[in-house]
Amino acid sequence: MDPTTDNAGNTGNPGDARASLEALRAEIAKAVVGQDPAVTGLVVALLCRGHVLLEGVPGVAKTLLVRALASALELETKRVQFTPDLMPSDVTGSLVYDTRSAEFSFQPGPVFTNLLLADEINRTPPKTQSSLLEAMEERQVTVDGTPRPLPEPFLVAATQNPVEYEGTYPLPEAQLDRFLLKLTIPLPSRQDEIDVLTRHASGFNPRDLRAAGVRPVAGRAELEAARAAVAKTSISPEITAYVVDICRATRESPSLTLGVSPRGATALLATSRAWAWLTGRDYVIPDDVKALALPTLRHRIQLRPEAEMEGVTADSVINAILAHVPVPR
C-alpha cells in the first residue's frame, strides 16, 4: 500500500514518521521552555493510544503544552475546566429538543475531539469524573442508550494540582489506572525561567501559537504509520518476564498497600515498546523498561500511611524495585 499524505504534505512511512515525531520537541519548544520529558510522554501516549495525567503546580505551562502539541500535530483540541458544578452531560453531550422538527437531536460535548484537556480534573465530583471512563476505555460515549464513537486519534490529558487539596475530589484507583502515564511537570530551572520571561518581554503571546512560529510538523498519516511500526517492535520473552517481575515486586513491597495490576504491566510493556521505536530500535531492551517505569507505574501504586510519614514516595519505591529486580542479559 502506498503511503498516504496528510494536509501538511507529509507522507506516512515509518522513517518519515519517526523523524517528524522527533521534530515535535523543537516545534513545541517555540512555545514551551524546558519540558522535553513531558513532550516525549505525550507522544508515547499517542503512539500507545493512551491517556495522560499531568501533575504540577499552577503556572508551569500544562495547558500551553497540550495546545502546542495539538498545533504541531494539526489535531483538534478542546479544553474543559472541571468545577464542582460540572455535570457529566457537560462533558459527553446531551439530547436537545428541536422545536422545529419536534424531535430530540444529539448535541456533542467537548469530549468529541482529538486532544481533550481536562483541566483540574480533581475539582469535580466523582460522578462527573467517571463520565470520562467510558470515553477513555471504549473510545465512545453512550447517551440515551446509543453508543457514539469518538474521533481518532483521541487522547485525554488531565491536569491536577498537587498542592491544593481543599475542595478537591481525589481520583479513585480505578480511574487512575485508566491513565497510561502520570507525568510530573516540575518548576523550571533558573535559566529556563529567565528564557520564559525573556520571551514574554519580547512579545510572546501564549494564546497565539501561530505568531510564536508553531507549525504542523506531523499529522494523522505519520501517527498511523508510527503506531503500525511500534506494533512490529519485537519483545523477547526475557523482557516480558522482566516487566512481570517488576510489577510483581510492587505487590510484595512492605511500603505499599496496593501494587501494580496486570493492566499496569501491559501498559509498561506498551510504553517501553513505543520508547524503543522512538529511539531508533525495532526491539526492546531493559533500559527502555527502566526509562518508562516511573511515569507508567507511579500512579498505580498506593503507599502505606506509615511509609508516607517516613518520607517514602511512589518514585522512590519504584526506583528501589528497579535496583533490586535482576536485569535480563
Side-chain angles (χ1 to χ4, degrees):
M1 183 174 65
D2 293 334
T4 57
T5 302
D6 65 13
N7 293 334
N10 299 313
T11 58
N13 67 67
D16 289 346
R18 184 186 287 115
S20 297
L21 292 177
E22 286 174 352
L24 276 176
R25 293 184 186 181
E27 203 63 26
I28 294 174
K30 295 177 182 177
V32 182
V33 177
Q35 296 293 359
D36 279 359
V39 174
T40 301
L42 285 166
V43 172
V44 167
L46 279 169
L47 291 176
C48 298
R49 293 180 169 86
H51 309 285
V52 175
L53 184 62
L54 299 170
E55 185 174 273
V57 299
V60 290
K62 299 186 293 293
T63 302
L64 180 60
L65 178 63
V66 175
R67 290 180 53 241
L69 176 69
S71 293
L73 282 174
E74 208 172 28
L75 298 176
E76 182 186 14
T77 182
K78 292 180 182 177
R79 175 181 176 272
V80 179
Q81 181 65 51
F82 278 68
T83 56
D85 60 348
L86 193 74
M87 300 296 291
S89 58
D90 294 331
V91 178
T92 60
S94 59
L95 294 176
V96 178
Y97 185 73
D98 188 340
T99 56
R100 289 173 296 182
S101 63
E103 294 180 349
F104 285 94
S105 61
F106 178 65
Q107 183 68 37
V111 75
F112 286 85
T113 188
N114 298 125
L115 269 68
L116 176 67
L117 178 62
D119 226 348
E120 295 189 295
I121 190 173
N122 56 338
R123 289 207 174 277
T124 200
K127 183 177 182 180
T128 304
Q129 291 176 2
S130 65
S131 66
L132 281 177
L133 279 177
E134 182 186 15
M136 293 169 65
E137 193 71 17
E138 306 296 335
R139 310 291 167 142
Q140 66 176 29
V141 295
T142 301
V143 178
D144 197 36
T146 303
R148 303 176 190 276
L150 296 172
E152 180 61 34
F154 174 69
L155 180 145
V156 173
T159 73
Q160 65 177 14
N161 185 341
V163 295
E164 290 184 19
Y165 296 108
E166 186 176 347
T168 63
Y169 303 83
L171 294 175
E173 283 72 25
Q175 186 163 357
L176 282 172
D177 207 32
R178 259 62 174 195
F179 286 98
L180 181 73
L181 300 171
K182 179 182 177 181
L183 304 175
T184 55
I185 311 296
L187 288 166
S189 66
R190 180 177 182 273
Q191 185 56 54
D192 284 343
E193 196 163 0
I194 290 173
D195 291 345
V196 170
L197 267 63
T198 301
R199 290 187 182 191
H200 279 267
S202 301
F204 171 71
N205 182 359
R207 295 171 184 81
D208 189 356
L209 295 178
R210 290 288 181 181
V214 179
R215 298 287 184 270
V217 293
R220 289 174 174 80
E222 280 81 11
L223 195 54
E224 286 306 314
R227 286 173 170 178
V230 168
K232 296 177 182 176
T233 301
S234 64
I235 305 170
S236 69
E238 291 78 13
I239 292 295
T240 302
Y242 182 51
V243 170
V244 169
D245 289 343
I246 290 171
C247 295
R248 290 182 68 86
T250 66
R251 302 167 202 163
E252 300 165 1
S253 171
S255 299
L256 303 178
T257 59
L258 178 70
V260 177
S261 69
R263 180 191 284 128
T266 302
L268 181 55
L269 199 65
T271 56
S272 302
R273 206 178 200 182
W275 176 245
W277 181 81
L278 278 173
T279 53
R281 280 178 282 100
D282 59 359
Y283 57 91
V284 181
I285 62 175
D287 283 348
D288 300 324
V289 178
K290 291 181 179 180
L292 272 297
L294 287 178
T296 308
L297 304 181
R298 59 165 60 109
H299 57 297
R300 304 175 192 271
I301 61 178
Q302 194 172 73
L303 291 168
R304 292 186 182 278
E306 55 269 30
E308 281 191 280
M309 292 178 64
E310 294 172 1
V312 176
T313 65
D315 285 11
S316 65
V317 171
I318 295 170
N319 281 326
I321 288 171
L322 292 174
H324 286 91
V325 172
V327 179
R329 301 295 179 186

